[in-house]
Amino acid sequence: MTATLRPVVPPGTTTEASWPHRAGSWWPLGVYTLLSLLLFGIPVLGHFATHVVASDPIDSSQFMWFFAWWPHAVLHGLNPFLTHAMFVPEGFNLTWSTAMPGPALALTPVTELFGASVTWNVIQLASPALGAWTMYLLCREITGRTGPSLVAGYVFGFSPYMLAHLTGGPYLALVALLPVVIRLILRRLRGTLRPRRFVIYTALALTAEFLTSSEVLATATIFGGLAYLMALALYPAQRRALLDTAARLAGAYVVMGVLISPFLYYFFFGHQYPPGATFFSADLASFAAPPSLVALGRHVFPYIGSNNESYLGLPLILLILAWLWIERRRRRTWMIVIPMAAAGLCMLGRHLLVRGKVTSIPGVWNWLHHLPILTYAIPVRLSLFVIIPAAVIVALFLSGSGSGGRGRWRWALAALTIAFIVPDAGSSNWNTVVRDPAFFSSGQYRHYLHASDNVLTVPAWGPNERWQADTGFAFNLADGYAGNPFPVAYSRYPTWGTLLSGHLTPDYAVQLKRFVHDKRVTAIVVDASVPGPWRRLFGPLGIAPLTTGGVIYYRLRG
């Protein structure tokens, strides 16, 4: 079978026995891990519990809550999918959030021993290294070359797409399993992976990706399907092998469905919280204009783009065009380029955006965003499906024929590609200090809050979730945030808007009493460092507050 599939995959590939056993497959992971530590880890090393790789404390605190919740629920015999620890008394269905149950459960020992903030940092620092490593393995499978694959791994794992989501979106940065699935498919097409093992390994990889980010898996399935259709059209002689692999891949999806069936039950039959309509699209200029996250964008060129994750850089664009021209007569070229171009067009959204100005030129998203799954997709995030093939192209470009001067110019262009995407190491985008009031950090809360308390906090979202996670869910939150629009059971109250904005309504006293009654609030804790009219807001309750441990504490009842 391997001989009949030569047109589908490039020659010169290695046939390693299985996923990866040779020492040569592992040392690049050490290299990429060291790079990740040098670029993002230095500010937080030694301060893993108080410094986090993030641009702000809001998103990171939300995910720290997730990382603490899943082990807490499982270890205490609670339903992990439906929580009543926040948004009391209604609770929240976590299957409709970016709750990352897979990584949270896998890192349970880290969370239990060191806390959720350490788990956050581990995931953030591991994401670029793992992504680079699995891309290296994929490109090594394709090209059989180590040097080109190392470069391609860096281009993917430390891409602007990755840099953007290291600021606060771990479920979008932890995408190392996508190259794994592609590699498994290639190995099955070549006949170097047995059918049963292919189904088992692929099902496990798909399940792990679903439990990390169902959004990434859903969109990857769409663009993977497009690549498959291209292969069917371009390689008629290999259709039997392609159809056989597709059937086994479908079987892997079925196995995944069985494994995640409890999650799917609550997703389809529990209370639903569809995400809001968000249509962030890529600015055409952002493909070439260095963003602030890369060193060139901050220190050399003025930032004129409007997105970080869509940036490729002029050298990479030129490299892709050069490879496209050189390899234009090969069917493999178009099987790679057409899905990548489709993702690039989708990224541009409904109307073309150029240097921050919306034009009247319609985009393909006008016709696609109504489709299932894509309804809730954010166009600019599809840059993931541009950078994956772009990294493969880098490996193929550097593995191309030619020596002497011709070989050197390829490597020179690859070196420029890396130079244009080197992150702005040490930037505050990846270094945030988390400071909790002594009320929580010193354990003082134990004298004032109890497990049955429904606590209204200020701020109403962000750090308060970290407070609850760090205390082992010692109280319930009468507020919170789970990544989607706030539940209607909360957003319909004018007081909820006041808590988020700090702006009092004319009838704030009446509205507050209604909110406190309906949410069965027993205590209020205000971070004294958060500016706002909080004493005026809570004054009508007629309760004398206690200032202690950096908070303003109100005991209502209970």
Side-chain angles (χ1 to χ4, degrees), residues 400-404 406-407 410:
S401 60
S403 58
R406 288 195 297 168
R410 292 176 187 246

Side-chain angles (χ1 to χ4, degrees), residues 91-181:
F92 195 88
N93 182 354
L94 291 175
T95 64
W96 280 84
S97 67
T98 55
M100 298 184 70
L105 292 172
L107 293 173
T108 294
V110 177
T111 305
E112 292 296 306
L113 290 174
F114 306 107
S117 59
V118 176
T119 300
W120 165 274
N121 281 328
V122 168
I123 289 176
Q124 291 291 87
L125 293 173
S127 293
L130 290 174
W133 181 54
T134 57
M135 179 56 71
Y136 161 82
L137 293 173
L138 171 60
C139 292
R140 186 75 173 81
E141 179 80 27
I142 294 173
T143 67
R145 300 279 303 279
T146 297
S149 301
L150 279 173
V151 176
Y154 180 90
V155 168
F156 174 67
F158 297 85
S159 63
Y161 169 86
M162 189 71 70
L163 303 184
H165 296 301
L166 285 181
T167 62
Y171 70 106
L172 297 171
L174 195 57
V175 290
L177 287 169
L178 297 187
V180 170
V181 173

